[in-house]
Amino acid sequence: MKQNYLFCYLLWLFTAVISCTSEQPAAKSSEAKIVKLEFETAGTVYATTITGNNISLEKAIPYSAKEVAVKTITASNGATVNMKAGDKLTTAQTDILVTAEDGVTKQTYKINWQIAAASTEAALTEIVFAYKGADYTGTVSNATIVLKKELPYNADGTISIKSFKASANATANISVGQEVGVDKALTVSITAEDGKVKNNYTLNSFRDEEGKLLIAQSTIKSCEAFKTFQTGEFMVENNLWNVTGLAAGSYSLCVYNYNADSRFLLGWSWDFPTSATNINAYPEVIYGQKPWYPNTTTAQLPKKIGELGKLKVNYDIEMHIERGSYNLAFDNWISSAKVATPGNVQFEFMIWEDYQNLEPFGTFKETVNTTNGSYKFYMGEPTWEPAGSNWTYVAFARTDKRQAGKVDVDELIAYLVSKGIVSKDSYLSSIEFGNELGNTKGYSVLKTFVVETR
């Protein structure tokens, strides 16, 4: 019995010794520090510098930032913070509380927000309108908005604002989707972020005022087939050359000149039926001697190819096409004699600047580069010549279509000579410019047409 008591005593003593010599739990940390802090707004991350209890941003946040998000926050081991990554703060919030692992020690950090000054930029940089499925882009210069291409002079109804761009964080008095009457001017007001600087931009007219002058207030007008009128070194022809297959009254074509108030415009309007399958007409401006007319409009042409020097054409035409097939092209003539006739024409020499649903006649040969653009070269033997005529068709179709620019006529002729197609002893009789018209409706206003020779 005494042995049992002794065993129990020894067991108790051993357990007590083991308990006293075991490791005690470590004390909890009293450190309450922020180790790393980053903010984010509008996709930009802002790092911070922590000095003592002060937090400073390394770069200023935008004036317009209404709130910033906590991107990253790291504190002492075991410490807790009264915010977490993803939380949103306003710049009115400046305190961050960190509680150490021991739950007793606490430290408050103060954020010193750096906010950029409000922008004073109040610029309108771009505006796009939509009208009947087409876009109309405005260019902004100083305080004026001008459409790159205006609406037809007889457009009606409203046009909508499709998009616009202004200075960052500026506000505007317009909105996307807003409707504006096409017969009214538009003033766009842009107010800078600072709320003080304000700029106004005015679009005086959506509609083609020059088209209105030309067609509605023309100095000269003719709707008679093949009617011509001369102005200076140019002759305008209402060239309805291929309408025998159309019913009388089913089509119209008129040519115009406006010459008043220091403004000079040429052009034409047309309406051909959608059922038309051919080229019906070529209203045009003629410089030189067209082989179907006995006289020239200028002393510069006809001229022997080998004696041609500089020959460039600068043009600017505004075309309003509602539908159908057309081109914008030069249709020039090269003859074997100085006085050109249909019987001595050797080449119909075309230069296509713009085209829709039409391709040049003949076979594509190669692409030809000139100073002011590249062209696809076509060549073929036509069958539409009048009795007693036999010429070759050559055409250069511009690869990037346009309605204004400089055409290097001399370089294209030099190409034809270099290929042995055209002889230096032949004559360039005329430079002619207009629209070949198929089943189309619209009008064109020729604003500039200058032939440069030397």
Side-chain angles (χ1 to χ4, degrees):
M1 191 68 166
K2 288 181 179 181
Q3 289 176 340
N4 288 339
Y5 282 126
L6 179 60
F7 175 77
C8 289
Y9 172 74
L10 292 173
L11 181 62
W12 171 83
L13 182 62
F14 177 75
T15 302
V17 170
I18 293 299
S19 176
C20 290
T21 58
S22 295
E23 290 187 5
Q24 297 299 315
K28 292 185 177 181
S29 173
S30 61
E31 188 171 75
K33 293 182 177 180
I34 293 178
V35 178
K36 181 179 181 181
L37 177 61
E38 293 177 324
F39 296 106
E40 182 178 15
T41 184
T44 301
V45 176
Y46 296 83
T48 62
T49 299
I50 302 171
T51 306
N53 286 44
N54 293 307
I55 300 171
S56 300
L57 277 70
E58 294 184 0
K59 61 180 178 180
I61 62 174
Y63 177 87
S64 59
K66 304 300 182 185
E67 60 181 17
V68 295
V70 178
K71 174 73 173 177
T72 304
I73 186 165
T74 306
S76 305
N77 288 336
T80 57
V81 188
N82 66 338
M83 64 181 61
K84 63 184 182 301
D87 284 354
K88 302 291 180 62
L89 306 179
T90 69
T91 54
Q93 296 171 265
T94 59
D95 292 347
I96 300 178
L97 178 63
V98 182
T99 303
E101 185 182 34
D102 64 8
V104 176
T105 306
K106 298 183 178 182
Q107 187 163 197
T108 299
Y109 286 82
K110 185 171 291 295
I111 308 170
N112 299 311
W113 295 107
Q114 283 82 46
I115 302 173
S119 172
T120 58
E121 294 292 323
L124 176 69
T125 57
E126 179 183 296
I127 188 164
V128 180
F129 301 91
Y131 181 77
K132 292 187 177 181
D135 289 351
Y136 291 82
T137 301
T139 59
V140 183
S141 178
N142 297 323
T144 303
I145 305 168
V146 177
L147 295 181
K148 289 183 178 179
K149 183 175 182 179
E150 297 167 311
L151 274 64
Y153 78 94
N154 54 357
D156 57 11
T158 61
I159 189 169
S160 64
I161 298 172
K162 184 175 182 179
S163 65
F164 67 93
K165 292 181 182 178
S167 300
N169 305 312
T171 56
N173 68 332
I174 58 172
S175 58
V176 172
Q178 179 179 334
E179 298 285 335
V180 182
V182 299
D183 59 339
K184 295 177 171 55
L186 172 68
T187 298
V188 179
S189 297
I190 305 295
T191 303
E193 186 179 39
D194 69 354
K196 299 176 181 178
V197 178
K198 180 178 178 180
N199 290 321
N200 292 328
Y201 300 85
T202 301
L203 194 159
N204 291 310
S205 178
F206 287 101
R207 297 188 292 199
D208 174 19
E209 293 302 316
E210 290 177 312
K212 181 179 179 181
L213 289 176
L214 178 68
I215 297 173
Q217 302 175 37
S218 54
T219 308
I220 300 174
K221 173 184 177 180
S222 177
C223 302
E224 182 182 340
F226 300 106
K227 184 70 174 179
T228 65
F229 61 83
Q230 188 155 343
T231 173
E233 290 189 303
F234 303 102
M235 183 168 70
V236 176
E237 181 183 16
N238 193 20
N239 189 358
L240 277 158
W241 69 275
N242 192 34
V243 293
T244 54
L246 300 179
S250 68
Y251 62 88
S252 65
L253 175 63
C254 300
V255 292
Y256 309 89
N257 171 225
Y258 179 84
N259 187 6
D261 304 321
S262 301
R263 303 178 84 169
F264 184 84
L265 304 167
L266 297 171
W268 35 84
S269 65
W270 65 88
D271 187 354
F272 289 97
T274 56
S275 58
T277 57
N278 298 313
I279 297 298
N280 305 300
Y282 180 65
E284 60 173 318
V285 174
I286 301 165
Y287 177 84
Q289 188 224 332
K290 183 172 182 174
W292 283 263
Y293 292 102
N295 299 317
T296 182
T297 68
T298 173
Q300 298 298 321
L301 293 176
K303 184 174 283 188
K304 188 174 285 189
I305 297 291
E307 296 174 1
L308 285 174
K310 177 182 180 181
L311 184 54
K312 315 281 186 185
V313 177
N314 277 299
Y315 77 91
D316 182 1
I317 191 169
E318 185 164 337
M319 297 161 46
H320 293 272
I321 313 293
E322 290 189 28
R323 56 169 167 79
S325 56
Y326 69 90
N327 71 18
L328 173 66
F330 293 81
D331 194 13
N332 316 308
W333 301 95
I334 296 173
S335 61
S336 60
K338 186 169 185 178
V339 178
T341 65
N344 64 30
V345 169
Q346 296 174 308
F347 295 93
E348 182 177 6
F349 160 39
M350 297 197 74
I351 307 168
W352 290 33
E353 292 287 289
D354 188 18
Y355 41 97
Q356 177 175 285
N357 301 330
L358 290 178
E359 290 291 338
F361 172 78
T363 302
F364 169 69
K365 300 296 184 181
E366 62 180 336
T367 298
V368 179
N369 296 315
T370 69
T371 300
N372 289 289
S374 61
Y375 295 81
K376 293 181 178 180
F377 175 52
Y378 295 79
M379 186 170 175
E381 297 300 327
T383 58
W384 61 80
E385 306 106 309
S389 299
N390 183 23
W391 63 72
T392 298
Y393 175 95
V394 294
F396 297 88
R398 190 173 178 87
T399 56
D400 56 327
K401 302 173 186 179
R402 62 180 182 175
Q403 296 177 13
K406 177 178 282 191
V407 181
D408 304 298
V409 181
D410 49 1
E411 295 179 29
L412 295 174
I413 291 175
Y415 167 82
L416 294 172
V417 172
S418 72
K419 294 295 182 180
I421 297 170
V422 171
S423 168
K424 288 184 178 181
D425 293 326
S426 295
Y427 290 83
L428 176 66
S429 64
S430 64
I431 297 290
E432 304 177 30
F433 182 71
N435 293 115
E436 288 190 306
L437 303 172
N439 58 344
T440 176
K441 179 181 180 181
Y443 72 90
S444 293
V445 180
L446 185 58
K447 303 176 182 181
T448 302
F449 193 75
V450 178
V451 180
E452 299 176 8
T453 60
R454 185 178 57 218

